[in-house]
């Protein structure tokens, strides 16, 4: 955008002759600043396409939509077996002290019992006396005891080992009570919801383009009216100065035109600031550095294309907001099922096969049922039911609000159409009145006040005509956005019997 549009010249004191005296001085500056950029013609359709393709909001919404689709695809094979490769590399060293007292006692007891039995058999076979048997037994027991006592009471053992064990394991859900199907369904619903959210975001972007594009056109029309008013008042003042010198009017009458010219100058400066602000917002929205020449003017359709009853009947099938809330209700319903599934058992098949030299393997079936986890599953399911109910009620409330918006926007459009028709009549009357007042003043029958009032009345009608068209456009955009058909806005610009404000 040329820098000239943002250049504000400040004066310590207001000088009503500033523009007239400094026009020639500004010409070289204008020529220099114009070379900094070039003018680009831009229709509303081009502006909408630019924003929908390159705005940050659109790109963020598209990224979220892609993420939702990928999340849904990621859960597509959730019911298939899960196969994992496991690899364990290990190395360890451990020291321990093993007590041998019990082993020593066991040896003694076992040997004593065995010896007693053997001596009893030998005594009966050889006819040994009891004293001989006792002597043998006692001597033998003593020898064994000395031998066993050679074994220490404790032994210290150090164990070292290392190795690498790879394996492949598999787990496959056989029965989950519907957990997998419900999880996949929720992911699919969220993907569809993200698509509707993307559509809704595009409509928000369209509405923002409509608001800012035609606001620039409105401010341009108001600027044109203010510029025309200033030029007219300057012309009246120039004529009044000549008439004062010739003695046809008094100094007081000439000063009335001068005050009117100064008022028009201040009004132009104020409108110029508003126009610069609106242009900056539009440039920032479009990310467009060049100066813009907007091709699509303000407009009003003289006749309604659709009736209100058809809009009220069809908006639930068109509105992205209502469809998104209906999907929220479906997701909440699936969440109820999910909470109920958590109370059911689950059955899995599992297997593991070792890839080392031993090739150990194991297969089996496992069942799991939660007996107690600290969470009341029944109350969680009841809470999900209430959440589902709340979403459905919120959907109905949103429908009521949309119907109110549709009715108000439709009524506002009708009011703007009727106002435009009346303004056309008023403009013709104001033009005729201005012509009559100019003739009356030239003939000495009128006053400067009458001419100034007539000029102001005509300019006020022109300004109101532009503001009324802008209000019609906003009402139309609000109607289409609430209905869910804002993408059809461009078709209303070229409808037959459309009035353009240029």
């Amino acid at each position: 955008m040329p820098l000239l549009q943002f250049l504000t010249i400040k004066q310590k004191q207001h000088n009503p002759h500033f523009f007239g005296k400094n026009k020639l001085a500004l010409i070289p500056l204008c020529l220099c600043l114009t070379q900094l950029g070039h003018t680009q013609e831009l229709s509303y359709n081009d502006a909408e396409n630019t924003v929908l393709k390159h705005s940050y909001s659109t790109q963020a919404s598209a990224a979220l939509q892609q993420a939702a689709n990928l999340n849904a695809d990621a859960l597509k094979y959730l019911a298939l077996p899960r196969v994992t490769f496991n690899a364990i590399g290990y190395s360890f060293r451990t020291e321990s002290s093993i007590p041998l007292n019990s082993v020593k006692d066991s040896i003694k007891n076992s040997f004593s019992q065995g010896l007693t039995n053997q001596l009893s058999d030998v005594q009966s076979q050889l006819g040994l006396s009891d004293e001989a048997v006792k002597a043998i037994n006692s001597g033998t027991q003593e020898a064994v005891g000395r031998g066993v006592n050679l074994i220490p009471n404790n032994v210290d053992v150090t164990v070292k080992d290392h190795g690498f064990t790879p394996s492949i394991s598999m787990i496959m859900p056989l029965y989950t009570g519907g957990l997998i199907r419900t999880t996949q369904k929720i992911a699919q619903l969220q993907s569809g919801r993200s698509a509707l959210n993307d559509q809704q975001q595009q409509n928000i972007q369209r509405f923002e383009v409509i608001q800012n594009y035609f606001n620039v056109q409105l401010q341009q029309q108001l600027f044109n009216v203010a510029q025309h008013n200033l030029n007219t008042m300057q012309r009246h003042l120039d004529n009044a100065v000549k008439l004062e010198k010739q003695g046809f009017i008094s100094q007081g009458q000439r000063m009335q035109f001068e005050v009117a010219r100064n008022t028009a100058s201040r009004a132009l400066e104020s409108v110029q600031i508003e126009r610069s602000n609106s242009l900056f917002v539009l440039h920032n929205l479009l990310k467009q550095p060049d100066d813009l020449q907007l091709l699509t003017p303000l407009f009003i359709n003289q006749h309604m294309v659709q009736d209100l009853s058809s809009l009220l009947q069809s908006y639930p099938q068109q509105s992205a907001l209502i469809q998104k809330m209906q999907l929220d209700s479906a997701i909440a319903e699936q969440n109820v099922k999910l909470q109920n599934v958590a109370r059911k058992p689950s059955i899995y098949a599992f297997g593991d096969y070792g890839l080392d030299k031993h090739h150990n393997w194991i297969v089996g079936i496992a069942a799991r049922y939660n007996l107690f986890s600290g969470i009341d599953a029944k109350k969680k399911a009841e809470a999900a039911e209430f959440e589902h109910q709340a979403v459905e009620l919120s959907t109905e409330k949103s429908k009521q609000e949309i119907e109110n918006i549709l009715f108000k926007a439709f009524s506002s459009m009708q009011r703007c159409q009727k106002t435009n028709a009346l303004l056309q009549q008023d403009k013709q009357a104001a033009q005729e009145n201005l012509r009559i007042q100019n003739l009356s003043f030239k003939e000495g029958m009128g006053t400067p006040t009458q001419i100034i009032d007539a000029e102001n009345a005509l300019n006020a009608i022109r300004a109101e005509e532009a503001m009324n068209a802008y209000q019609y456009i906003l009402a139309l955009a609000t109607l289409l956005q609430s209905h869910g058909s804002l993408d059809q806005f461009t078709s209303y610009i070229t409808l037959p019997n459309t009035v353009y404000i240029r």
Side-chain angles (χ1 to χ4, degrees), residues 296-316:
T296 307
L298 296 168
F299 67 92
I300 292 183
N301 305 122
Q302 293 180 304
H303 304 290
M304 302 300 293
V305 178
Q306 303 183 57
D307 61 279
L308 182 60
S309 59
S310 63
L311 293 172
L312 292 174
Q313 291 177 359
S314 58
Y315 81 87

Side-chain angles (χ1 to χ4, degrees), residues 361-472:
W361 59 269
I362 183 175
V363 294
I365 295 178
R368 184 176 62 186
Y369 182 75
N370 184 25
L371 297 177
F372 179 76
S373 65
I375 299 176
D376 194 328
K378 182 178 180 181
K379 290 184 178 180
K380 290 281 290 183
E382 292 176 354
E385 288 280 4
F386 281 111
E387 290 174 356
H388 180 214
Q389 182 181 357
V391 173
E392 289 186 334
L393 294 174
S394 298
T395 303
E396 296 303 317
K397 177 61 178 177
S398 297
K399 288 182 179 180
Q400 288 181 336
E401 293 176 351
I402 289 177
E403 289 170 1
N404 292 336
I405 294 174
L406 289 174
F407 184 84
K408 291 179 181 179
F410 192 87
S411 300
S412 180
M413 291 171 62
Q414 289 182 320
R415 177 182 56 78
C416 291
Q417 289 172 338
K418 294 177 182 179
T419 301
N420 182 71
L422 294 175
L423 287 173
Q424 300 306 315
Q425 300 174 8
D426 292 344
K427 185 163 65 173
Q428 294 178 359
Q431 290 172 340
E432 179 63 19
N433 178 53
L434 178 60
R435 186 185 68 82
I436 294 173
Q437 296 302 327
N438 282 325
L439 290 176
S440 297
F441 183 76
K442 290 178 181 179
E443 295 176 359
M445 300 176 62
T447 64
T449 302
Q450 292 174 328
I451 294 179
I452 294 171
D453 290 343
E455 287 283 1
N456 290 335
L458 179 58
N459 289 326
I461 291 174
R462 289 170 176 166
E464 186 178 357
E465 184 181 30
M467 289 187 290
N468 183 66
Y470 182 65
Q471 291 175 359
Y472 174 83

Side-chain angles (χ1 to χ4, degrees), residues 96-100 152-157:
S96 61
S97 179
I98 303 175
L100 301 179
N153 294 330
N154 297 283
V155 61
D156 295 329
V157 179

Side-chain angles (χ1 to χ4, degrees), residues 237-396:
L237 177 59
D238 294 340
N239 293 333
V241 171
K242 295 177 183 178
L243 292 174
E244 181 187 7
K245 291 180 180 180
Q246 297 172 1
F248 289 104
I249 62 174
S250 65
Q251 181 183 9
Q253 290 176 315
R254 188 264 303 166
M255 293 183 67
Q256 287 181 314
F257 285 111
E258 187 172 351
V259 171
R261 193 282 312 274
N262 294 342
T263 302
S265 177
R266 292 193 301 272
L268 178 63
E269 291 178 3
S270 177
V271 171
Q272 191 169 11
I273 292 175
E274 292 297 326
R275 186 185 66 160
S276 297
N277 292 339
S278 63
L279 277 169
F280 179 83
V281 173
L282 182 61
H283 278 250
N284 199 21
L285 177 64
L286 298 173
K287 296 187 284 188
Q288 173 59 258
D290 298 325
D291 191 14
L292 298 176
Q293 180 182 356
L294 306 188
L295 302 180
T296 307
L298 296 168
F299 67 92
I300 292 183
N301 305 122
Q302 293 180 304
H303 304 290
M304 302 300 293
V305 178
Q306 303 183 57
D307 61 279
L308 182 60
S309 59
S310 63
L311 293 172
L312 292 174
Q313 291 177 359
S314 58
Y315 81 87
Q317 292 77 37
Q318 297 288 334
S319 173
L321 174 62
I322 296 302
Q323 294 180 27
K324 189 169 69 172
M325 296 191 73
Q326 289 173 345
L327 282 181
D328 287 338
S329 178
I331 292 173
E333 183 179 2
Q334 292 298 320
N335 187 44
V336 173
K337 295 181 180 179
L338 196 63
Q339 298 301 326
N340 289 325
V341 163
R343 303 162 62 184
K344 297 180 180 180
S346 55
I347 301 175
Y348 299 88
F350 68 91
D352 188 270
Y353 180 79
L355 300 178
D356 56 3
K357 62 181 181 179
H358 303 292
H359 298 288
N360 297 325
W361 59 269
I362 183 175
V363 294
I365 295 178
R368 184 176 62 186
Y369 182 75
N370 184 25
L371 297 177
F372 179 76
S373 65
I375 299 176
D376 194 328
K378 182 178 180 181
K379 290 184 178 180
K380 290 281 290 183
E382 292 176 354
E385 288 280 4
F386 281 111
E387 290 174 356
H388 180 214
Q389 182 181 357
V391 173
E392 289 186 334
L393 294 174
S394 298
T395 303
E396 296 303 317

